[in-house]
Amino acid sequence: MAAAATATATAVRLHAAATRRAAPRRPARLAVRADAARAATALTQDDLKRLAAVRAVEQVQSGMVLGLGTGSTAAFAVAEIGALLASGKLSGIVGVPTSKRTFEQAARDPALHARRPPRHRPRHRRRRRGPLLPLPSPLTFSLHRTILVLTTLTEVDPDLNLVKGRGGALLREKMVEAASGKFVVVVDETKLVTGLGGSGLAMPVEVVQFCWKHNQVRLQGLFNEEGCEAKLRLNEDGKPYVTDNSNYIVDLYFKTPIRDALGAGKEIAALEGVVEHGLFLNMATSVIIAGSDGVSVKTK
């Protein structure tokens, strides 16, 4: 009898101990899920840029001519393309950098750098990767049906009009994108605006060095009603910033969005000495946006 009571008491204690050990398991799983959810929503801006870049590169196919854009998000796209070339998932890519900075990045990547074929290459040997071209040529564009440009920007409005060129490469970017069959923009959600100029960041205008001050004054006068301020872009050493094509940049800062972007673009382009402006209007075919809720795509 006593032995039975002892056995029963022992069983109760063992059951209680097992229950105490098992009890925390479910809350622990819930805590892990909560931590994972917090981690998923705590993406940095660079994380968002990388997500958008990877999604954009999904459109790249072997044999394409690619415009390699300028900007931090475009840099992620260039790196992703290099990784796919190195793994053999892509081949025959011809890259056209839109700036010296992008060319230097791609040139550092063994999978993307330019390689000259041997003079007496056997005909049966085929190059696995295309060259990296420092500048586009009419021959390059005429030999390929599809030209895809991957690039980033400062602002995008609901009609997929853009402000680009804060890196100073707006002239080359616009030339390559005007020749492209597809112009894909890669951004994070912070670049979305209701109207161009609404972010308060610079809208660049590339001008020749000769009489640049005259053009700065004229650009300021064009947009007085928008509370615009025109400033010559300077380097860290206080000297004028010089573009890849040896021009200056006058940055326009708007207090209110530009009311008529198409009209503004025409007025800016009509000024003598203006080389190009950072309004990219009716050019983008799709915009890939990375946000806290995932990656979305907008098309025209």
Side-chain angles (χ1 to χ4, degrees), residues 22-33:
R25 290 182 183 177
R26 187 172 183 181
R29 285 197 297 270
L30 291 176
V32 169
R33 290 173 186 167

Side-chain angles (χ1 to χ4, degrees), residues 55-56 59 148 156-162 181-187 192 282-289 295-300:
R55 179 68 176 271
Q59 301 189 41
L148 176 66
V156 55
D157 72 8
D159 296 322
L160 305 193
N161 292 315
L162 321 170
K182 286 185 178 181
F183 175 19
V184 179
V185 177
V186 190
V187 299
L192 303 180
N282 297 321
M283 296 183 72
T285 52
S286 62
V287 177
I288 297 176
I289 306 162
V295 179
S296 61
V297 181
K298 289 187 177 182
T299 58
K300 287 212 170 185

Side-chain angles (χ1 to χ4, degrees), residues 17-173:
T19 302
R20 286 194 300 271
R21 288 195 300 270
R25 290 182 183 177
R26 187 172 183 181
R29 285 197 297 270
L30 291 176
V32 169
R33 290 173 186 167
D35 290 342
R38 284 193 294 270
T41 57
L43 295 175
T44 67
Q45 192 170 7
D46 277 350
D47 292 332
L48 295 177
K49 291 176 179 179
R50 188 178 290 105
L51 285 173
V54 170
R55 179 68 176 271
V57 173
E58 292 176 1
Q59 301 189 41
V60 177
Q61 300 175 11
S62 295
M64 273 188 172
V65 176
L66 296 181
L68 305 178
T70 302
S72 54
T73 312
F76 287 123
V78 172
E80 178 70 8
I81 292 166
L84 293 173
L85 285 169
S87 67
K89 294 179 180 179
L90 286 178
S91 62
I93 296 296
V94 177
V96 184
T98 59
S99 68
K100 291 180 181 178
R101 182 189 307 172
T102 303
F103 180 80
E104 290 169 357
Q105 178 197 352
R108 290 192 297 268
D109 191 324
L112 280 168
H113 70 75
R115 299 187 303 168
R116 293 182 179 180
R119 291 183 179 179
H120 303 289
R121 183 179 59 189
R123 291 185 179 180
H124 66 276
R125 290 185 61 190
R126 298 179 61 186
R127 296 183 69 188
R128 295 182 61 188
R129 303 185 185 105
L132 180 70
L133 302 176
L135 287 174
S137 68
L139 178 61
T140 300
F141 291 125
S142 65
L143 290 177
H144 294 77
R145 292 183 179 179
T146 303
I147 304 170
L148 176 66
V149 182
L150 302 173
T151 190
T152 54
L153 60 127
T154 302
E155 297 177 349
V156 55
D157 72 8
D159 296 322
L160 305 193
N161 292 315
L162 321 170
V163 170
K164 287 179 50 57
R166 291 189 70 231
L170 59 154
L171 174 59
R172 294 190 185 186
E173 286 190 299

Side-chain angles (χ1 to χ4, degrees), residues 154-155 163 165-167 196-205 216 219-234 241 249-258 268:
T154 302
E155 297 177 349
V163 170
R166 291 189 70 231
L196 298 183
S199 69
L201 299 174
M203 198 289 283
V205 180
Q216 179 186 13
L219 287 167
Q220 175 97 39
L222 282 178
F223 304 105
N224 276 334
E225 294 183 4
E226 279 86 358
C228 174
E229 185 177 5
K231 294 182 179 180
L232 180 69
R233 185 180 299 185
L234 303 176
Y241 173 88
I249 294 283
V250 174
D251 285 321
L252 305 183
Y253 295 88
F254 294 89
K255 292 183 179 179
T256 60
I258 302 171
I268 294 171

